[in-house]
Amino acid sequence: MASVKVRFRELSVDGETGCLYYQVICRRIVRQVYTNYRILKSEWDTTTKTIKASFVNEGIGTREEYLRFVCRRVNLELSRFHRIVVSLDNGLQACTADDIVRRFEQATVEQSLPCFMRGIIAQLKLVGKCRTSETYKATLNSLIRFAGENTILDEIDSDFMMGYEAYLKSRQISMNTVSFYMRVLRAVYNRAVEKGLTVQKYPFRHVYTGIGKTVKRGMSITYVRKIKELSLPCNSALDFARDIFMFSFYTRGMSFVDIAYLKKSDLKDGILTYKRRKTGQQLIIKWEKCMQEIINKYPQNVTEYLLPIIRYPENKRKQYDTALHLVNSQLKRIAVQIRLPIKLTTYVARHSWAGVAKSNNIPLSVISEGMGHDSESTTKIYLASLDTSVIDKANELILKSI
């Protein structure tokens, strides 16, 4: 029977970090697998052959967090060694220390969760789903901070995910964000299962993947009027931010990314037609006077786009990101001027339209109640079944109220 133990190799220079390595012994043959984990001699318990519990369980700070990370990685990799040893011992041929090391290194490369996930992120970018790729990348970065680059797919089980959830909670991450990360990872994991890269262990059954109610983001029609009537310098960044916000409200809460990519050709015969970049769903909006008034403020816009957000053919995504940051920063200043009690962003326009529609007794099936639905699928069902003239009528009622 083979054995694998973690060892610490200290340096002769005082105050320098030594490295951890694994000692693999099989049939009296010894092999060593070195890691990148570096610790001080004072942090190593020579009796238990582990990092001292005082640093792992009680310490607070960057160094202590790193040591906890190393402990997690060592435990995961020792478990990986154990699975390899068991599988080889159950085979017909006797295993050697070299077999164990080779299997360990092979799994690290071929079953790498970060590598698999980066492949998905690249595919998302290739098909134009840049925003989704960014959310996947954020999830991956969070997971790497918890478990490192060498996490393999076979290590993803219920205990692993519960440990990750506990880690996120310890960092004061909101439960909605925790759920978001979990749902992204579940999608990645299920794809790996479909490809036969790992077996289904249902690792997400004990972690939170629900969607809780978020902080109120909508505002009353009174505040919408205040924003519309606010005296701002013409052609200023504040004025532009107000125009974008009001245009979003006028167009039933159109998202900023959809506004940015609206083309002049999308407006024909008094009808604006566009596809939501998030869902691919086609929406049709009756063009109103208030919408045209905003467009008329930018006669110098000679691009193919309806509003001067994307001005050049190169680096469109960067222009969008820069404009979104600028608009939201200016909306914060507007919120201060009107003494708005909530954070003002472009997304507030969408929530506000839904809230104002509801207060005007417009049927839920017409507005799908914005953020009021418990599931996105319900919202899609309502929106997909609506006659666009009914929605246009609802929008007219809302616009008249301001």
Side-chain angles (χ1 to χ4, degrees):
M1 182 69 177
S3 67
V4 181
K5 297 179 181 179
V6 62
R7 293 286 185 259
F8 172 63
R9 174 159 291 173
E10 63 180 275
L11 296 183
S12 58
V13 181
D14 290 338
E16 291 291 329
T17 56
C19 77
L20 296 178
Y21 66 96
Y22 300 108
Q23 184 183 73
V24 181
I25 304 175
C26 184
R27 302 181 184 279
R28 299 183 181 180
I29 301 298
V30 181
R31 292 291 182 265
Q32 296 172 343
V33 179
Y34 283 88
T35 75
N36 293 323
Y37 313 137
R38 316 284 296 190
I39 66 172
L40 295 168
K41 180 181 178 180
S42 59
E43 295 165 341
W44 182 251
D45 191 323
T46 56
T47 303
T48 62
K49 307 300 182 185
T50 59
I51 295 174
K52 289 182 179 179
S54 58
F55 290 101
V56 176
N57 300 327
E58 300 174 11
I60 298 175
T62 304
R63 184 62 188 173
E64 288 73 19
E65 178 60 36
Y66 170 73
L67 293 175
R68 280 190 283 272
F69 164 79
V70 171
C71 283
R72 287 194 297 267
R73 285 307 317 161
V74 168
N75 289 334
L76 287 170
E77 288 169 1
L78 284 175
S79 296
R80 191 191 313 173
F81 270 118
H82 176 72
R83 290 195 301 271
I84 291 170
V85 169
V86 171
S87 66
L88 288 173
D89 280 346
N90 291 336
L92 297 177
Q93 295 181 342
C95 71
T96 66
D98 289 327
D99 292 332
I100 296 170
V101 171
R102 184 169 55 254
R103 287 283 190 93
F104 178 84
E105 293 174 343
Q106 187 178 18
T108 301
V109 174
E110 295 179 356
Q111 272 216 319
S112 169
L113 173 59
C115 287
F116 180 69
M117 202 162 173
R118 288 189 182 102
I120 296 176
I121 292 170
Q123 289 175 353
L124 290 170
K125 288 182 178 179
L126 196 62
V127 298
K129 295 185 177 181
C130 296
R131 182 57 183 164
T132 304
S133 72
E134 290 170 359
T135 60
Y136 272 55
K137 185 177 180 180
T139 303
L140 176 59
N141 290 339
S142 171
L143 185 71
I144 288 174
R145 286 191 291 271
F146 166 71
E149 277 281 358
N150 294 329
T151 304
I152 66 171
L153 290 163
D154 276 349
E155 290 172 349
I156 307 301
D157 56 17
S158 185
D159 289 338
F160 180 94
M161 297 314 305
M162 286 192 293
Y164 178 46
E165 183 181 59
Y167 162 79
L168 293 173
K169 290 178 180 178
S170 72
R171 299 180 69 85
Q172 308 301 314
I173 304 296
S174 72
M175 289 310 296
N176 272 352
T177 302
V178 171
S179 174
F180 176 77
Y181 287 157
M182 294 298 176
R183 284 180 280 123
V184 169
L185 289 172
R186 183 173 61 187
V188 171
Y189 177 82
N190 288 338
R191 186 177 296 193
V193 171
E194 289 177 3
K195 290 180 175 293
L197 298 176
T198 188
V199 296
Q200 181 61 266
K201 302 174 186 174
Y202 302 100
F204 300 89
R205 61 184 181 276
H206 296 310
V207 295
Y208 179 65
T209 56
I211 303 175
K213 290 188 176 180
T214 58
V215 177
K216 180 181 178 182
R217 293 180 182 176
M219 58 186 178
S220 67
I221 193 64
T222 301
Y223 282 108
V224 177
R225 288 197 194 100
K226 285 183 178 181
I227 293 174
K228 179 185 177 184
E229 297 167 1
L230 192 63
S231 178
L232 297 172
C234 291
N235 301 318
S236 65
L238 279 170
D239 191 32
F240 181 71
R242 191 250 306 273
D243 286 343
I244 296 299
F245 182 89
M246 294 307 302
F247 186 85
S248 174
F249 186 85
Y250 294 154
T251 54
R252 309 200 305 257
M254 186 184 298
S255 67
F256 183 81
V257 66
D258 292 326
I259 293 174
Y261 286 92
L262 277 179
K263 293 185 177 180
K264 294 173 181 176
S265 59
D266 294 330
L267 178 60
K268 292 181 181 179
D269 302 323
I271 298 295
L272 182 65
T273 305
Y274 75 100
K275 283 188 177 182
R276 287 200 67 195
R277 295 180 74 86
K278 182 177 181 180
T279 63
Q281 181 186 24
Q282 180 173 279
L283 296 178
I284 300 173
I285 299 175
K286 181 183 176 184
W287 194 247
E288 300 287 352
K289 180 182 177 181
C290 55
M291 304 171 191
Q292 187 61 44
E293 287 174 348
I294 290 178
I295 302 301
N296 292 343
K297 290 178 65 175
Y298 302 95
Q300 73 280 11
N301 177 28
V302 294
T303 70
E304 64 178 316
Y305 298 102
L306 202 56
L307 282 160
I309 296 173
I310 298 175
R311 302 167 183 265
Y312 312 102
E314 300 83 13
N315 299 319
K316 293 180 182 179
R317 182 68 189 187
K318 185 176 181 180
Q319 293 178 67
Y320 157 78
D321 288 334
T322 301
L324 178 59
H325 177 76
L326 174 63
V327 168
N328 279 333
S329 67
Q330 297 302 314
L331 288 177
K332 288 180 182 178
R333 295 176 60 189
I334 290 174
V336 172
Q337 292 190 42
I338 65 173
R339 297 183 179 180
L340 185 66
I342 63 172
K343 182 180 179 181
L344 184 60
T345 67
T346 57
Y347 204 60
V348 172
R350 181 173 180 81
H351 290 266
S352 299
W353 186 88
V356 173
K358 185 178 179 181
S359 67
N360 278 273
N361 298 316
I362 294 171
L364 296 183
S365 58
V366 176
I367 60 172
S368 70
E369 205 179 12
M371 291 291 289
H373 281 304
D374 291 328
S375 67
E376 189 175 338
S377 60
T378 305
T379 302
K380 290 179 180 178
I381 292 171
Y382 277 114
L383 289 175
S385 63
L386 286 176
D387 185 294
T388 57
S389 63
V390 177
I391 302 178
D392 289 332
K393 191 67 177 177
N395 202 32
E396 286 180 30
L397 288 172
I398 294 171
L399 300 185
K400 286 178 180 178
S401 67
I402 60 171

